[in-house]
Amino acid sequence: MTVRQTIGLDHSWIEQGLLKRKSNYSPVIIFETTDPKRLFQLKSYLLSHTEMAAYDYFFVYDQWQGLGKLTGTPENPGFELYKKDLGDSALARRISRYRGEEAAGLAQLKAALKEVDGYLKKWKTLFILQNISENREWETGLQSALRSWAIDAEIMARESTIILQTSNAAALLDDFTRELAVVITVDPSSEAERKAVIAEAARELEIPLSDNELSELVLATAGLNLHQLESTLLESY
């Protein structure tokens, strides 16, 4: 049994980033968090928010899975592998048969960045780079892409958005690149969020919890992120 994923969560960090994008401060938003619950919250918000319906494409890049499309519902965000069109030539068909789905997939970051570049400039596109923990610039070109996208007139005109989720932007990107982006550090969990998550867990697990006990648990779990909080609750009960 798991606590419902986004009940009682504070969306202000997402709204702050999107507001900066809307004001054309920068199309590049960096969220500093390692919490998988926050990543789920972000995707759920994007799939449910009415303004997001105006986007033509939603892409997600994961270092293990490669490039894909954000699919599913707010309750269950999904990932669909992006398959590059290799053409209809005899050689392309032969490569596809020989290598299978990997032939059309884009696992390398540099290839994914170059592929999405065209979408960002031609259509209103949202691109999430998730769980990016390290960057070898000579292999990925990540900083070069982010710098270019941050000031690109076509991307600004199309209102495309690039979201990078990482634990520490300063460890991943240089000062110049970070200055061109919106950098938001996401709180592990607020008191109100912990209260909501604990109360919901107690309700789902049918555990009686007084107001005093709830307050004590909220204080005792300060500093935990949402994933750690939920895991601790479920292990304890």
Side-chain angles (χ1 to χ4, degrees), residues 43-67:
K43 292 177 180 178
S44 179
Y45 182 96
L46 295 175
L47 288 170
S48 63
H49 202 268
T50 53
E51 288 188 9
M52 295 300 107
Y55 280 88
D56 300 305
Y57 294 97
F58 287 83
F59 286 106
V60 177
Y61 178 81
D62 179 88
Q63 288 182 309
W64 177 252
Q65 294 177 297
L67 181 63

Side-chain angles (χ1 to χ4, degrees), residues 3 33-38 187-189 194 197-198 220-236:
V3 180
T33 178
T34 59
D35 189 349
K37 298 296 181 184
R38 290 298 191 193
D187 289 338
S189 64
R194 294 195 304 280
V197 171
I198 293 169
T221 54
L224 297 181
N225 66 31
L226 298 174
H227 175 70
Q228 293 166 338
L229 173 61
E230 181 177 306
S231 297
T232 299
L233 292 171
L234 296 178
E235 288 173 5
S236 300

Side-chain angles (χ1 to χ4, degrees), residues 59 67 82-85 106 110-120:
F59 286 106
L67 181 63
Y82 175 83
K83 298 177 183 178
K84 185 177 176 63
D85 185 5
L106 293 170
K110 178 172 281 189
L113 296 176
K114 288 184 177 294
E115 183 70 13
V116 175
D117 180 78
Y119 285 90
L120 291 167

Side-chain angles (χ1 to χ4, degrees), residues 4 21 57 66 78 81-82 95 119 129 138-139 167 181 223 234:
R4 279 187 284 171
R21 171 62 189 98
Y57 294 97
L81 185 66
Y82 175 83
I95 292 174
Y119 285 90
L129 296 110
W138 62 92
E139 292 181 0
S167 61
L234 296 178

